Amino acid sequence: MVFSGGPRIGIALGGGSARGLTHIPYIEAMDELGLKPSVIAGTSIGALIGAGWASGMTGQELREHSIKVLGTMRIIAGRLWSTQVRGLGSLFKQGIPTQLDGMHVVEAFLPEHFPTSFHELKIPLRVVATDFRSWHQVVFAEGLLQPAIAGSIAIPSLFKPVLHAGHMLVDGGVVNPLPLDQVDLDSDFTIGIDVVGDPSEGLNRTDFGAIDMWFGSASIMMHSLTAHMIAAYPPDMYIRPKVASFGAMEYWRVKDILASVEGEKDRFKRLLAQRIEDYIQGRLEAAQPAPRS
């Protein structure tokens, strides 16, 4: 079934580090149904993947590019090293870097000739980041694209804060891991894809390392924030793929991560097709946007 009309669809792509690669099969499902969102909002990796989607890349192209740039630890390390240390002179002057530069990382992993500004995108995009100094959410929908994405993915401590548009930016997941608020008003039908995961894999564990504790604590925080966001801006479809078995930084497992949601992708496709058909036939009313404060 391919749809040529229907409601304005708003998609919120959540943050969750490597687990966010599971956004891609759901994008493929929408492609296969002939559906395009009217607006995309993304946090952290959701902003990065959302930017690719908004630029005109298909789900299949996003899959192929992700495997190309993340397929092995050697590929990832090579790209990171080439961006962090630009020549021996930089190494001697600055030493071995302890924090990643978000701008360099974005440059390393985006496709060549990628749009440089929001106005070049084919679908409206809203990128969510956090202003570290004011403790507030910052939403970018115009201006330069790459600094906004770099700020949105800047996990505290792992990345340097990104200075952009008068803000000191860190990861958007600190304040808004699933930005449903950014698609609510401009859509008839909203979808939220939450890739933080759940505690199922750790319920019987006692051997948590430092990275496990750090990411697990962040996940608890993001889970709580997401629950409040869903209560305030309930989506028409809420998707939460099972991603708990993948670590925060296991990007090299991209093929496994993508494969893990193939069954869920098919289920999502069936449910979404039915909901859109119901809307077109008048059996489903458009969602009423929540009032903004």
Side-chain angles (χ1 to χ4, degrees), residues 175-211:
V175 290
N176 191 353
L178 186 64
L180 291 164
D181 58 321
Q182 296 305 311
V183 299
D184 185 73
L185 281 181
D186 298 323
S187 308
D188 303 315
F189 189 96
T190 58
I191 302 172
I193 304 179
D194 176 4
V195 294
V196 169
D198 61 66
S200 59
E201 291 292 316
L203 289 176
N204 297 311
R205 284 185 59 188
T206 58
D207 59 337
F208 293 104
I211 294 295

Side-chain angles (χ1 to χ4, degrees), residues 63-75:
R63 176 187 291 264
E64 291 170 357
H65 179 74
S66 297
I67 293 172
K68 175 184 175 182
V69 300
L70 300 171
T72 67
M73 291 184 68
R74 177 175 292 182
I75 292 172

Side-chain angles (χ1 to χ4, degrees), residues 16 23 26 49 71 110 128 156-157 171 176-177 207 240 244 246 259:
H23 288 310
Y26 296 106
I49 292 175
L110 283 179
V128 174
S157 297
D171 195 296
N176 191 353
D207 59 337
R240 189 183 183 191
F246 300 103

Side-chain angles (χ1 to χ4, degrees), residues 126-145:
R126 291 165 190 166
V127 170
V128 174
T130 303
D131 189 313
F132 183 76
R133 292 180 293 208
S134 72
W135 297 9
H136 287 108
Q137 168 175 286
V138 183
V139 180
F140 296 98
E142 58 184 20
L144 294 175
L145 181 59

Side-chain angles (χ1 to χ4, degrees), residues 4-285:
S4 58
R8 298 171 303 161
I9 301 174
I11 310 285
L13 302 179
S17 297
R19 295 171 175 180
L21 293 166
T22 52
H23 288 310
I24 293 172
Y26 296 106
I27 295 172
E28 291 176 326
M30 290 192 64
D31 290 342
E32 291 162 14
L33 291 172
L35 295 172
K36 291 220 176 271
S38 61
V39 60
I40 302 166
T43 293
S44 199
I45 191 170
L48 184 61
I49 292 175
W53 193 11
S55 75
M57 295 178 72
T58 65
Q60 182 63 36
E61 288 169 339
L62 288 166
R63 176 187 291 264
E64 291 170 357
H65 179 74
S66 297
I67 293 172
K68 175 184 175 182
V69 300
L70 300 171
T72 67
M73 291 184 68
R74 177 175 292 182
I75 292 172
I76 296 171
R79 285 180 174 267
L80 289 176
W81 183 254
S82 68
T83 64
Q84 293 302 108
V85 181
R86 301 198 170 190
L88 290 176
S90 172
L91 180 62
F92 286 124
K93 288 178 182 178
Q94 301 175 16
I96 296 175
T98 57
Q99 288 183 303
L100 298 173
D101 184 308
M103 281 296 294
H104 292 165
V105 170
V106 169
E107 292 171 5
F109 290 98
L110 283 179
E112 293 183 9
H113 312 300
F114 197 78
T116 59
S117 64
F118 281 85
H119 84 266
E120 297 175 66
L121 298 174
K122 297 180 180 179
I123 300 171
L125 174 70
R126 291 165 190 166
V127 170
V128 174
T130 303
D131 189 313
F132 183 76
R133 292 180 293 208
S134 72
W135 297 9
H136 287 108
Q137 168 175 286
V138 183
V139 180
F140 296 98
E142 58 184 20
L144 294 175
L145 181 59
Q146 292 188 10
I149 297 172
S152 186
I153 68 168
I155 298 171
S157 297
L158 180 61
F159 285 78
K160 300 174 184 176
V162 176
L163 298 176
H164 174 55
H167 302 282
M168 178 180 282
L169 302 173
V170 296
D171 195 296
V174 173
V175 290
N176 191 353
L178 186 64
L180 291 164
D181 58 321
Q182 296 305 311
V183 299
D184 185 73
L185 281 181
D186 298 323
S187 308
D188 303 315
F189 189 96
T190 58
I191 302 172
I193 304 179
D194 176 4
V195 294
V196 169
D198 61 66
S200 59
E201 291 292 316
L203 289 176
N204 297 311
R205 284 185 59 188
T206 58
D207 59 337
F208 293 104
I211 294 295
D212 296 323
M213 293 297 293
W214 164 73
F215 187 66
S217 297
S219 297
I220 293 168
M221 176 196 71
M222 290 191 290
H223 175 72
S224 179
L225 290 170
T226 295
H228 287 290
M229 183 59 69
I230 290 172
Y233 301 92
D236 293 283
M237 289 188 69
Y238 170 66
I239 308 300
R240 189 183 183 191
K242 297 177 181 179
V243 292
S245 60
F246 300 103
M249 296 299 147
E250 292 182 335
Y251 286 96
W252 62 90
R253 297 182 67 188
V254 53
K255 291 182 180 179
D256 294 333
I257 294 171
L258 293 170
S260 72
V261 292
E262 285 303 314
E264 284 296 307
K265 169 190 168 181
D266 292 338
R267 178 174 175 272
F268 168 76
K269 188 176 173 181
R270 292 193 302 272
L271 290 174
L272 179 57
Q274 184 60 59
R275 295 297 297 276
I276 298 299
E277 182 65 24
D278 287 345
Y279 179 91
I280 293 172
Q281 298 300 325
R283 296 190 295 265
L284 179 68
E285 293 185 2

